[in-house]
Amino acid sequence: MRNGNCLHRRGFLALGGAAILAPQLPSLAEAKISTQTPLYGISVFGDLKYQSDFKHLEYVNPDAPKGGRIVPQASSIVYNQNFNTFDTLNMFVLRGNGPYGMGLTFASLMQSPADELSSAYAYVARSVTVSDDKLTWQFEIDPEAHFHDGTPISPADIVFSLKVLRDKGHENLASSLRQMESVEALGNDKVVVSLLPDSNISTVLTIVGCPIFSEKWWEGRDFEATLSEAPLGSGPYRLRQYSFGSYIEFERVPDHWAAKKPIMIGRYNFDRIRYEYYRDRTASFEAFKAGHIQFREEFTSRSWATDYNFPAIIDGRIKREEVRDETPSGGQAWFFNTRREKFADPRIRKAIGLMFDFEWTNANLMYNSYERSASFYEKTEYKATGTPDAAELAIMEPMRDQIPAEAFEEPYVPPKTDGSGRVRNLARDAVKLLTESGCKLEGGRLLLPSGEQLALEFLDDDNTFEPHHNAFVNNLRSIGINATYRVVDASQYALRRRDFDFDMTISRFSMPLYPHRFIKQLFGSSSANAPGSFNLAGVANPAIDEVLEKIIAAETPEEFKVASRVMDRLLRAEHYFVFQWHKASHWLAYWDFYDKPAIKPKYDIGVIDTWWTRPDRISATGMSG
């Protein structure tokens, strides 16, 4: 599946930007957070990987040549972006469908590298000082930082940006920024951010990763309106040309103000980056075969196993690679819309989940390429196993009357089938659960306690996964559930997800692996009915809210691990999701005129960030580059 989450570990910082270093300044970890000493970097847990005198990031080639272009297929979306179309140039608001790549045009206060999980280094801010209570953060602005028109980035621009994103930005960003008590300019070179008492450093990581806008450029413009003119930026790229719903192209800023800073050396090497939009995956794959798309990450096992046999593959003009994926896999699942009364009972949700035959699906549709997921914390130490230990029980016992008894047992793992496609035993278990919930089977129809037949519509915007749904649908129909699969166009799909107008839909989210308020956007009651939030399931559970607060307030890795495992137990016991699958590698295919560093960034594939063009190979592919 495509990665439908977004604000992940690097957040906006991964989308474009550069960093500068204040020589010989300590990191936040080194200063133990009790300081008025200027810091060059901050980290939630542990020491920063890079010292103040580092020359370049470990995973780049400092001598990488600039030039050429790349046309990648985007594999993840954030805020209001849509995989299949765009109709506004503002990706940071709820309205419209934003384009890929606009983040490349903006700088931010600090930036995170792709080989650390919870750190950020100075960028537009040359340094930051922190109050002893960690609630006041003072950023000193680099005098060299400027917008693409040559005007300097001022404290007023930063204050404007943080306030407008807090007040009018997309909910998945604004919710974190509302933890700011105030943000003010101090003189001509400083910005002071004061946080609410219940905030922590994770709030700061969101703040320092926000795009910086020009206040003057936005004068007289409505930030929430559809935008057809690119906002003035200050990142390593600027918009070159676009056509709504068709393509968008960016060009590298050759004299970017931070181009020679250590954290920028060897990065953002392509002169042009272009994204093409197609109506579905079949069309985009044909575009890749023809060279209109030049880099593709494949997410469909059937395609990877059977479709990569065309001439450009056979004669070596296109390379295929399977690259180890070291990132936590997160959770890909069908999400129940529990705002709808028919899904209010967890027994009904569990029964529906029992009817998904992963083993048959994996063998017959996915070439046994995947492992079954059972958690949002796959491939991490935060996934719950066994019965709760003493530390977990210390959190759970005071809430025992609010927690399902199942949460105190070994965490729920979907049962395995024999892969034959016959799920009679699971069907019996499902019908038993449904009967216990007050449903009854009459004339081959499964009736809810209200007397209505239980109907379930799977919503999607692409028919690639129709076979996977069909097998699930048929199993559900066998126990009297009126299950259907519906594909709608990209704009309607985005709108229906935004307004929670669905029964079940698919998405994938990776959990923050350090205390971060973003997790409330996924599972918090406050986000359950906020249009556009990532809380697709509508989780609004007081016990889960309490555990979320413990995750956010954790001050040590151990506290965070314990609270996260409790969260995992509760989510799995409530059956808000039918988990799908994950794998431990990336499937990459690209036209063979690119090169890359010897070291891959641990938490990214690094294509846009670190690859470069080999002009001497272009003619051999029959391409124009």
Side-chain angles (χ1 to χ4, degrees), residues 140-157:
E140 182 181 0
I141 309 307
D142 183 356
E144 297 298 319
H146 59 263
F147 291 103
H148 294 152
D149 67 352
T151 58
I153 296 176
S154 70
D157 294 314

Side-chain angles (χ1 to χ4, degrees), residues 80 92-97 168-171 498-499 531-533:
N80 69 352
F92 301 105
V93 294
L94 184 61
R95 179 179 296 178
N97 300 286
K168 298 183 178 182
H170 194 283
E171 176 63 20
R498 233 171 263 173
D499 296 339
S533 86

Side-chain angles (χ1 to χ4, degrees), residues 212-347:
I212 296 174
F213 305 119
S214 165
E215 181 181 31
K216 182 178 180 181
W217 188 92
W218 278 99
E219 285 180 4
R221 291 180 169 93
D222 180 0
F223 188 75
E224 296 177 286
T226 298
L227 191 64
S228 59
E229 180 182 0
L232 181 61
S234 55
Y237 287 86
R238 58 186 164 218
L239 181 64
R240 182 172 183 264
Q241 57 185 355
Y242 74 94
S243 175
F244 280 137
S246 179
Y247 72 89
I248 188 165
E249 184 169 293
F250 303 90
E251 61 183 0
R252 186 172 59 86
V253 178
D255 56 351
H256 186 239
W257 61 271
K260 296 182 180 180
K261 302 298 181 180
I263 208 168
M264 283 299 285
I265 299 220
R267 299 176 66 196
Y268 300 115
N269 303 311
F270 298 111
D271 278 353
R272 286 184 289 157
I273 300 172
R274 181 184 177 100
Y275 293 96
E276 297 273 359
Y277 285 78
Y278 295 91
R279 65 184 181 276
D280 56 38
R281 295 190 196 188
T282 300
S284 67
F285 186 64
E286 291 302 315
F288 174 65
K289 290 164 65 175
H292 302 308
I293 290 177
Q294 297 163 348
F295 172 88
R296 177 181 174 90
E297 181 173 1
E298 183 58 68
F299 295 94
T300 305
S301 53
R302 182 178 65 255
S303 294
W304 187 250
T306 65
D307 294 345
Y308 286 80
N309 55 5
F310 49 92
I313 289 281
I314 295 170
D315 63 26
R317 287 176 293 150
I318 289 179
K319 294 181 69 173
R320 285 210 307 168
E321 284 189 65
E322 187 165 347
V323 178
R324 182 183 176 190
D325 182 3
E326 298 183 76
T327 61
S329 69
Q332 181 173 300
W334 282 285
F335 286 64
F336 287 101
N337 185 356
T338 63
R339 302 166 191 84
R340 298 189 167 177
E341 181 62 29
K342 60 186 174 183
F343 300 128
D345 192 321
R347 291 171 295 186

